[in-house]
Amino acid sequence: MTKEDFLKSLKINNVSYTDEMIEKAFLVMKETLEANKKFNLTAIKNEEEFLEKMILDSIIPFNDVDFENKSILDFGTGAGFPGLMIKIFYPNAKVTLLDATKKKCDYLSEVSKKLNIDVNVINARGEEASKTYYESFDYVTARAVAELSELMELTCQLIKVNGILISLKGSKGYKELENAKGAMKTLNLKLMKIKEDMLPITKEERVNLFFKKTDHIQKKYPRDYNVIIKKHL
Ligand code: SAH
């Protein structure tokens, strides 16, 4: 999509923005595409596609969320999506980017310093960081990280009681939701909202799922990763 189409989509979707936010988002795009030449950071390699599938797709899901002064963990952030965009469009949010891959985390620390974006970067497997960051976040976001019931278990101890898990899914979202009923029950996650969106150019469907953690969770969760993926809750 063109820059013009991108700005139009922000307006249509009621996203308020300043010139500085747009400038920063574009700088992140340039840096990511540049770094992509050196190592595989994202699958998307050109600006038009990047604007729609990385940037717009990292903002629209949250257009009715109030991130102001809230703590947000972007779990499995990769090259910083959606986390970096959340920080750019909600400058008062306290954003933490977490990824298991060191190379990606090194890149994120570098780019955020360069662009003067104040985020916290953690290089760890999220489930293993559950003790250190126990119930630390008002929101946990995740895009393209794990199947929904697995994601719930991986993130469950990181979310505060009454905090929200936001899982950004495509058309498989409903099926995964159906398969996550057991995990929701065991992990005290209540479905709050399903937000359907559509990307304006490619018309790709988005099923964004919002869950509230209603209570503390038994300490035996999350189980070891191998068990999580073999025996879904
Ligand atoms: N959210 C980004 C990246 C998706 S790729 C985007 O939408 O573009 C998935 C990323 O999740 C990878 O970078 C991988 O290293 C990370 N990841 C997967 N499982 C993880 C775990 N258990 N803990 C931390 N990071 C994880």
Side-chain angles (χ1 to χ4, degrees):
M1 77 192 314
T2 60
K3 181 174 179 180
E4 217 176 11
D5 285 338
F6 170 72
L7 295 179
K8 207 155 69 183
S9 281
L10 290 182
K11 283 204 183 102
I12 290 169
N13 286 284
N14 295 319
V15 178
S16 45
Y17 60 85
T18 63
D19 290 347
E20 194 191 341
M21 291 172 186
I22 302 300
E23 205 172 293
K24 281 208 163 148
F26 273 68
L27 281 170
V28 167
M29 171 166 72
K30 291 221 157 59
E31 292 289 331
T32 314
L33 290 174
E34 196 55 39
N36 239 348
K37 293 178 187 161
K38 284 175 243 158
F39 70 102
N40 194 17
L41 203 48
T42 71
I44 288 166
K45 313 278 185 214
N46 73 73
E47 289 204 359
E48 295 237 319
E49 214 184 334
F50 199 98
L51 273 181
E52 184 183 29
K53 292 192 178 170
M54 301 299 284
I55 301 191
L56 198 61
D57 201 25
S58 291
I59 306 166
I60 289 179
F62 313 111
N63 63 358
D64 54 3
V65 180
D66 183 12
F67 283 135
E68 291 293 295
N69 298 309
K70 297 291 196 306
S71 54
I72 295 127
L73 173 70
D74 188 25
F75 189 101
T77 191
F81 296 86
L84 269 182
M85 292 303 134
I86 293 176
K87 182 60 191 174
I88 290 173
F89 283 82
Y90 302 85
N92 294 326
K94 288 168 260 173
V95 174
T96 299
L97 308 174
L98 177 141
D99 203 280
T101 309
K102 184 168 184 307
K103 243 193 205 170
K104 291 181 181 172
C105 290
D106 289 347
Y107 161 78
L108 287 169
S109 302
E110 205 180 287
V111 82
S112 50
K113 205 166 146 198
K114 202 163 164 184
L115 303 184
N116 204 12
I117 299 168
D118 180 21
V119 288
N120 184 23
V121 179
I122 303 173
N123 176 212
R125 285 202 61 87
E127 65 278 23
E128 288 166 11
S130 289
K131 285 205 175 72
T132 317
Y133 298 95
Y134 176 70
E135 294 191 346
S136 297
F137 300 97
D138 297 306
Y139 289 91
V140 173
T141 58
R143 189 181 89 144
V145 178
E147 187 273 339
L148 183 61
S149 70
E150 295 170 9
L151 180 72
M152 287 174 164
E153 187 164 353
L154 292 168
T155 59
C156 63
Q157 301 289 10
L158 300 162
I159 310 167
K160 288 182 187 174
V161 172
N162 291 321
I164 310 279
L165 170 65
I166 309 178
S167 170
L168 309 183
K169 292 285 180 189
S171 51
K172 286 186 191 145
Y174 286 108
K175 181 112 192 53
E176 292 191 26
L177 181 61
E178 205 44 50
N179 293 335
K181 293 280 184 291
M184 287 168 66
K185 196 156 181 246
T186 308
L187 305 173
N188 298 327
L189 292 167
K190 184 174 167 242
L191 181 66
M192 302 288 298
K193 182 171 77 174
I194 300 177
K195 185 173 184 289
E196 289 184 3
D197 291 308
M198 189 181 270
L199 293 182
I201 306 288
T202 53
K203 307 288 180 208
E204 282 179 26
E205 198 186 331
R206 293 294 183 257
V207 178
N208 302 313
L209 303 164
F210 293 66
F211 302 91
K212 182 181 264 193
K213 173 168 162 180
T214 56
D215 205 343
H216 301 291
I217 296 157
Q218 289 179 62
K219 289 286 186 318
K220 65 178 173 188
Y221 301 110
R223 298 163 298 165
D224 285 344
Y225 183 70
N226 290 333
V227 184
I228 294 177
I229 56 169
K230 267 193 210 121
K231 289 188 180 177
H232 283 180
L233 289 172

